[in-house]
């Protein structure tokens, strides 16, 4: 095949280069991570306080922030609205048949609370709180759990004083704990058997039985809400649809925490009658209504006023 | 062919008959249908093949053979036949919303041991982020000599491996701690999937950055709204941990962490952090929310186990199951899955009488480390009621426990790590119900 001597030499070189090369040490792949890059992403906090940034927040400051940004889901006293997580209470229940695991009754470290609120809450707008706000809201949730007093101010130093009551009650996994043997005959006494069956109708079985009305998804048997709406939308509403999906649907999609469901005309008629400027003001600045708390911008302060107004346009036009 | 097994039931059924007096309402009705009718010798229902007047059946020429079919690339990616109903499903009331929620794999519909990517169970704590792979970065820093930032391109330059491993949510079966609740195998066991994963060993990445001697723990963190974070001991990281971008021969699905995730074989699914953006090496664990408030095991004395990482040996029969009742008398191949977070499955036994007597099943096809393993038992069914169970044994010698053994130690209100022997009540009509023997 190769006629010229040059090609022959090339083949020889190729053959030599495919012999395996053993790799030792770094391969030199990737770029150095700069201190600045790391600082932006290194958000974790440890029980010893490592990672806590400078800053401070009081229980008093935390109260207003909590009521505006957290209470719609977690309840004014941390009792949990509807099916959202309970944040306070439950002391003395862990060894009962109905244990209630909350920040106060269960969590071993206060650092976890700071870390988690900062990285993941408020649920619709993670990483939107300032460090001082996280200090204040953390202090307030600790106060709701009777772990600090009402004049407490949380900062890097006072953090060291906070002791969580349930800390001593955790221990390292000690499984395997159960020892079964591989018995093959007469292994159990049927006379002692107690048979427990399921309660029909609590799980979705419509895909293999005729008798079930429970849907196997979060949207019911037919799609509901904004998804099923087929009206011609204005440009603002079209632009608002993705904002709605990201920042508003969490509450307005299924009517969580008292929010009017997008697409449910009945829930919107009276609201729309107030006029767009009131609706926009309520959505941008937040307000407390008869049904619950609408957090400013749905809790997502990174949204511009225009984006929120577009989302309101989408909600209104889809709900007429 | 394996020996056919003839379960002998009269004594058991007699005991169950008196037990049934204690049951109420719906429970009792199902139970009576299941057990007592057959014992009392009532005429059983014959299952007759449906008479056919179908134009497509022989001797007729099927309609689809009489014209040309679809050509190449009509569907460039492709999808299952329209006649299949393959779906992940959820139980909506388990969670407040769909973003922090769970859906289950239809184990009853699977063949072999691989879960198709589109059917892998889902668990998110803040929805699926829409990550652009060109803009995604993985930072590795902390107690290392050379902190680095890697693009997806960089990651793919490392020597890669492909492994078949299961992933299971530790809450799999968790709804069943207090009593039988879910009426389908998809919901009792479906937070479980098994795929071929392709990526780089985490140990290779750690060699690249050079872990300092004090480096004992690694924090893995996701780029999702939950900023999912877990502490991983260095031993696991250096053992079999992978950083994967491939799943069943293609890129990871967004649901499974596209473009890159951690994979900790045999450990609770939550530790295999998806949409991985950061690995920090430290000298202590972080005790974050998903390893304190969640994914810890509350014991009856009010104390709690932490770092409950391993998914212990477990098994379940998927055929028959509530979704796949028995429709034919005579020959029957019973099948199911066994798996262990500690290694390979050594054996699986099947019981027809609620665990009184056991019969060894066969392991079918590939038997891999920390992978779903299929088992099978060939038998006959002639309308007798069964309390059907499977019991797996792994290569460490650990024998899957009974529910009573688990409850005696851990109480009835745990959430995680319920790996006890599961019972299906097969009625004389061939219907299959989820029951518990306690």
């Amino acid at each position: 095949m190769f006629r010229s001597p040059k090609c022959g030499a090339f083949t020889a070189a190729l053959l030599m280069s495919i012999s395996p090369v053993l790799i030792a040490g770094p391969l030199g792949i990737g770029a150095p991570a700069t201190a600045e890059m790391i600082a932006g992403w290194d958000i974790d906090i440890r029980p010893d306080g490592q990672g806590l940034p400078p800053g401070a927040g009081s229980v008093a400051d935390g109260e207003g922030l909590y009521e505006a940004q957290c209470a719609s889901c977690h309840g004014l006293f941390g009792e949990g609205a509807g099916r959202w997580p309970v944040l306070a209470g439950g002391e003395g229940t862990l060894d009962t048949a109905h244990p209630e695991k909350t920040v106060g009754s269960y969590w071993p470290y206060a650092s976890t609370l700071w870390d988690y609120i900062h990285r993941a809450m408020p649920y619709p707008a993670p990483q939107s709180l300032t460090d001082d706000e996280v200090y204040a809201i953390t202090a307030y949730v600790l106060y709701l759990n009777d772990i600090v007093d009402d004049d407490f101010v949380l900062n890097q130093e006072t953090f060291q004083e906070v002791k969580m009551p349930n800390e001593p009650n955790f221990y390292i996994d000690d499984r395997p704990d159960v020892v079964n043997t591989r018995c093959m005959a007469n292994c159990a006494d049927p006379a002692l058997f107690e048979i427990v069956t399921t309660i029909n109708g609590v799980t979705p079985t419509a895909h293999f039985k005729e008798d079930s009305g429970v849907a196997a998804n979060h949207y019911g048997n037919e799609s509901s809400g904004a998804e099923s709406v087929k009206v011609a939308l204005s440009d603002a509403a079209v632009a608002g649809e993705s904002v709605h999906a990201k920042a508003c649907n969490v509450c307005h999609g299924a009517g969580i925490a008292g929010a009017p469901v997008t697409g449910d005309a009945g829930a919107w008629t009276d609201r729309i009658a107030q006029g767009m400027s009131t609706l926009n003001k309520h959505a941008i600045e937040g307000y407390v209504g008869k049904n619950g708390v609408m957090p400013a911008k749905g809790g997502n302060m990174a949204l511009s006023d225009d984006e929120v107004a577009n989302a309101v346009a989408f909600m209104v036009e889809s709900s007429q | 062919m394996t020996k056919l097994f003839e379960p002998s039931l009269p004594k058991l059924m007699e005991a169950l008959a008196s037990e049934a007096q204690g049951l109420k309402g719906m429970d009792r009705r199902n139970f009576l249908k299941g057990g007592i009718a057959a014992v009392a010798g009532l005429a059983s229902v014959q299952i007759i093949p449906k008479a056919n007047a179908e134009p497509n059946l022989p001797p007729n020429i099927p309609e689809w053979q009489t014209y040309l079919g679809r050509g190449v690339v009509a569907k460039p990616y492709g999808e299952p036949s329209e006649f299949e109903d393959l779906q992940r499903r959820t139980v909506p009331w388990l969670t407040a919303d769909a973003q922090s929620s769970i859906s289950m794999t239809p184990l009853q519909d699977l063949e072999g041991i691989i879960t198709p990517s589109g059917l892998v169970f889902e668990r998110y704590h803040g929805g699926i982020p829409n990550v652009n792979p060109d803009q995604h970065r993985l930072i590795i820093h902390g107690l290392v000599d050379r902190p680095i930032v890697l693009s997806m391109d960089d990651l793919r330059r490392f020597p890669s491996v492909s492994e078949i491993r299961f992933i299971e949510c530790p809450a799999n079966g968790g709804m069943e701690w207090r009593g039988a609740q879910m009426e389908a195998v998809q919901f009792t066991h479906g937070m479980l999937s098994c795929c071929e994963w392709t990526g780089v060993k985490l140990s290779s990445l750690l060699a690249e950055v050079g872990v300092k001697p004090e480096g004992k723990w690694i924090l893995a963190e996701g780029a999702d709204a939950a900023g999912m974070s877990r502490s991983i001991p260095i031993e696991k990281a250096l053992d079999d941990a992978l950083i994967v971008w491939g799943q069943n021969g293609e890129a990871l699905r967004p649901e499974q962490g596209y473009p890159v995730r951690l994979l900790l074989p045999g450990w609770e699914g939550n530790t295999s952090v998806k949409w991985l953006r950061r690995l920090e090496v430290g000298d202590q664990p972080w005790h974050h929310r998903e390893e304190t408030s969640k994914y810890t095991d509350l014991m009856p004395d009010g104390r709690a186990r932490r770092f409950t990482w391993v998914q212990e040996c477990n098994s379940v029969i998927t055929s028959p199951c509530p979704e796949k009742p028995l429709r034919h008398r005579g020959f029957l191949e019973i099948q199911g899955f066994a798996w262990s977070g500690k290694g390979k499955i050594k054996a699986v036994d099947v019981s027809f009488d609620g665990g009184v007597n056991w019969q060894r099943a066969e392991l079918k096809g590939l038997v891999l480390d920390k992978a779903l393993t299929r088992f099978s038992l060939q038998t006959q069914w002639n309308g007798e009621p069964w309390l059907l169970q499977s019991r797996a044994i792994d290569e460490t010698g650990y024998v899957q426990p009974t529910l009573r053994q688990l409850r005696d130690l851990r109480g009835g209100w745990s959430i995680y790590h319920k790996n006890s022997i599961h019972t299906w009540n097969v009625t004389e009509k061939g219907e299959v119900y989820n029951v518990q023997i306690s």
Side-chain angles (χ1 to χ4, degrees):
Chain A
M1 282 197 67
F2 297 110
R3 293 223 184 100
S4 91
K6 259 189 192 162
C7 274
F10 175 73
T11 315
L14 199 76
L15 283 175
M16 279 169 64
S17 70
I18 58 172
S19 64
V21 183
L22 273 180
I23 303 145
L27 306 177
I29 298 174
T34 64
E36 199 189 353
M37 286 175 174
I38 295 170
W41 279 16
D42 183 3
I43 56 171
D44 53 82
I45 317 297
R46 288 197 325 199
D48 60 2
Q50 194 193 79
L52 276 177
S58 65
V59 169
D61 293 340
E63 181 173 10
L65 289 165
Y66 178 91
E67 284 173 4
Q69 303 226 37
C70 322
S72 56
C73 293
H74 295 293
L76 277 177
F77 306 99
E79 76 281 13
R83 312 225 35 242
W84 302 103
V86 176
L87 300 186
E91 291 80 10
T93 64
L94 295 185
D95 59 355
T96 71
H98 294 283
E100 201 169 16
K101 294 187 265 184
T102 72
V103 171
S105 70
Y106 195 62
W107 291 34
Y109 304 107
S111 57
T112 313
L113 187 61
W114 203 104
D115 176 275
Y116 185 70
I117 293 174
H118 176 242
R119 76 171 56 238
M121 291 292 138
Y123 190 54
Q127 299 198 46
S128 64
L129 299 170
T130 66
D131 292 345
D132 285 346
E133 287 172 334
V134 178
Y135 273 112
I137 296 173
T138 303
Y140 188 68
V141 174
L142 292 171
Y143 166 75
L144 287 176
N145 280 286
D146 297 324
I147 291 168
V148 299
D149 292 329
D150 56 4
D151 58 357
F152 185 73
V153 178
L154 186 64
N155 58 37
Q156 283 165 315
E157 284 75 50
T158 59
F159 166 82
Q160 302 294 343
E161 300 160 14
V162 180
K163 285 283 160 279
M164 303 296 272
N166 198 43
E167 181 186 343
N169 292 324
F170 283 85
Y171 59 99
I172 298 284
D173 184 15
D174 54 356
R175 292 174 303 154
D177 49 357
V178 182
V179 183
N180 197 5
T181 52
R182 195 178 175 198
C183 166
M184 297 305 284
N186 297 316
C187 308
D189 180 359
L192 299 178
F193 280 6
E194 266 176 54
I195 310 288
V196 181
T197 65
T198 58
I199 309 157
N200 279 344
V202 297
T203 47
T205 53
H207 53 291
F208 64 97
K209 272 193 205 164
E210 278 170 6
D211 63 354
S212 169
V214 188
N217 58 51
H218 281 271
Y219 314 102
N221 285 318
E222 295 123 321
S223 63
S224 68
E227 259 116 32
S228 64
V229 177
K230 291 263 167 8
V231 290
L233 298 174
S234 68
D235 288 353
V238 168
E241 185 165 4
S242 65
V243 179
H244 179 268
K246 277 191 284 199
C248 323
N249 194 53
V250 59
C251 292
H252 288 278
I256 299 301
V261 173
T262 305
D264 174 358
W268 282 92
T269 320
D270 292 349
R271 296 180 185 278
I272 292 169
Q274 303 175 89
M276 287 306 282
S277 65
T278 305
L279 291 179
N280 285 339
K281 186 172 185 306
H282 282 166
I284 291 165
E285 293 168 11
Y287 78 109
V288 184
K290 282 203 301 285
N291 299 343
V293 184
M294 163 67 207
K297 298 187 173 178
N300 200 325
M301 298 312 283
L303 294 175
S304 69
D305 290 0
D306 284 348
E307 285 174 310
V308 176
N310 288 342
V312 174
F314 172 75
M315 296 165 94
V316 167
E317 290 177 29
S318 315
S319 311
Q320 280 164 342
Chain B
M1 199 172 125
T2 38
K3 196 167 47 129
L4 296 177
F5 180 66
E6 280 287 335
S8 101
L9 286 165
K11 185 166 174 263
L12 169 67
M13 287 304 153
E14 216 175 285
L16 295 183
S18 56
E19 173 61 32
Q21 305 308 314
L23 298 175
K24 292 198 180 66
M26 194 58 93
D27 296 352
R28 175 135 183 230
R29 202 165 57 81
N30 284 346
F31 179 73
L32 290 176
K33 262 196 289 178
I36 314 309
V39 173
L42 298 181
S44 46
V45 184
Q46 265 321 123
I47 298 161
I48 313 157
K50 208 168 64 181
N52 72 69
E54 287 278 342
N56 290 318
L57 292 182
N60 302 323
I61 299 166
E63 173 255 358
W64 46 82
Q65 201 173 9
T66 60
Y67 53 85
L68 284 176
R70 211 165 56 204
V72 297
V73 210
K75 291 177 193 265
Y77 188 89
E79 62 197 18
S81 159
E82 63 176 275
F83 300 105
E84 292 300 312
D85 182 28
L86 296 163
Q87 286 187 35
R88 293 189 276 237
R89 295 183 176 89
T90 188
V91 180
W93 51 260
L94 285 174
T95 57
D97 71 338
Q99 273 79 19
S100 174
S101 193
I102 183 127
S103 77
M104 292 80 159
T105 293
L107 297 178
Q108 71 279 6
D109 296 324
L110 299 188
E111 311 286 354
I113 60 168
I114 299 289
T115 311
S117 301
L119 296 179
V120 171
F121 77 94
E122 304 163 278
R123 176 63 174 118
Y124 317 125
H125 288 258
I128 311 170
N130 191 17
V131 180
N132 177 338
D134 297 337
Q135 291 164 21
H136 184 72
R137 293 293 181 273
L138 172 61
I139 288 189
I140 311 178
H141 71 109
L143 297 174
V144 301
D145 298 328
R146 293 171 295 277
I148 56 174
V149 54
L150 298 168
S151 66
M152 288 309 299
D153 238 24
D154 295 332
L155 269 171
R156 289 175 199 273
R157 288 180 59 204
F158 284 93
S160 68
V161 293
S162 292
E163 313 269 20
I164 295 175
R165 300 284 182 256
F166 77 80
I167 294 200
E168 184 183 21
C169 175
N172 201 14
M175 296 86 88
E176 306 280 300
W177 269 110
R178 283 173 192 253
Q181 202 175 183
M182 296 290 142
E183 300 171 73
V185 73
Q186 184 161 6
F187 304 131
T188 60
H189 289 81
M191 302 180 199
L192 170 71
S193 298
C194 182
C195 297
E196 185 194 51
W197 307 98
T198 300
V200 51
K201 288 183 169 167
L202 179 49
S203 58
S204 305
L205 294 187
L206 294 178
E208 187 70 16
V209 295
V211 174
K212 293 197 195 315
E214 321 86 84
K216 295 286 177 252
W217 289 82
I218 296 179
L219 184 80
E221 183 180 83
D224 55 334
M228 180 51 62
S229 58
R230 291 288 308 243
S231 308
I232 315 296
I234 194 88
E235 294 78 15
K236 181 71 176 176
L238 294 176
D239 179 17
D240 57 358
L242 302 176
I243 302 294
V244 303
W245 53 80
Q247 175 185 7
N248 293 339
E250 60 179 349
L252 282 177
R253 289 290 171 91
E255 293 94 321
Q256 271 76 62
Y258 180 85
V260 62
R261 77 179 299 174
L262 177 62
L263 188 86
L264 298 184
W267 280 23
E268 46 186 28
N270 180 261
T271 61
S272 289
V273 174
K274 298 187 274 190
W275 314 288
L276 188 69
R277 72 161 198 172
R278 191 163 72 93
L279 293 168
E280 177 176 355
V281 180
D283 59 352
Q284 295 171 28
W286 281 260
H287 295 287
H288 277 178
R289 187 244 185 180
E290 314 297 335
E291 48 205 16
T292 54
S293 168
K294 306 292 165 197
Y295 306 106
T296 47
D297 290 11
L298 183 62
M299 294 291 128
D301 65 359
R303 301 193 313 140
R305 289 178 178 154
R306 65 157 57 114
F307 299 145
T308 47
W309 296 308
V310 173
Q311 292 297 105
E312 290 185 302
C313 185
N314 201 345
S315 71
V316 69
I317 291 172
T318 55
S319 173
C321 66
E323 295 98 318
K324 302 275 165 181
L326 296 180
R327 301 204 193 279
H328 305 280
R329 290 170 175 238
F331 177 77
L332 170 68
E333 183 181 20
I334 290 172
Q335 290 197 58
F337 290 119
W339 63 101
S340 167
K342 290 197 166 169
K344 293 191 175 69
I345 291 298
K346 194 169 77 185
V348 179
D349 304 318
V350 169
S351 171
F352 296 87
D353 55 14
V356 180
N357 299 295
W358 293 87
Q359 158 105 355
R360 190 179 178 129
E362 312 249 307
L363 302 185
K364 264 179 107 132
L366 295 173
V367 179
L368 302 172
D369 203 34
K370 299 164 192 162
L372 288 191
T373 302
R374 193 166 269 275
F375 63 86
S376 136
L377 182 70
Q378 301 185 6
T379 187
Q380 295 274 338
W381 179 71
N382 286 303
E384 58 273 44
W386 280 342
L387 289 173
L388 195 59
Q389 299 183 328
S390 65
R391 175 181 71 188
I393 297 108
D394 70 16
E395 63 182 345
T396 70
Y398 175 94
V399 181
Q400 188 184 351
T402 65
L403 182 57
R404 183 181 299 191
Q405 286 173 324
L406 269 196
R407 283 218 186 104
D408 281 352
L409 263 151
R410 303 194 199 159
W413 51 90
S414 242
I415 296 171
Y416 306 108
H417 302 296
K418 187 188 156 293
N419 65 324
S420 58
I421 292 168
H422 192 77
T423 311
W424 297 130
N425 174 19
V426 180
T427 72
E428 100 278 7
K429 284 185 180 160
E431 296 157 331
V432 180
Y433 294 97
N434 175 18
V435 300
Q436 291 187 348
I437 302 178
S438 58

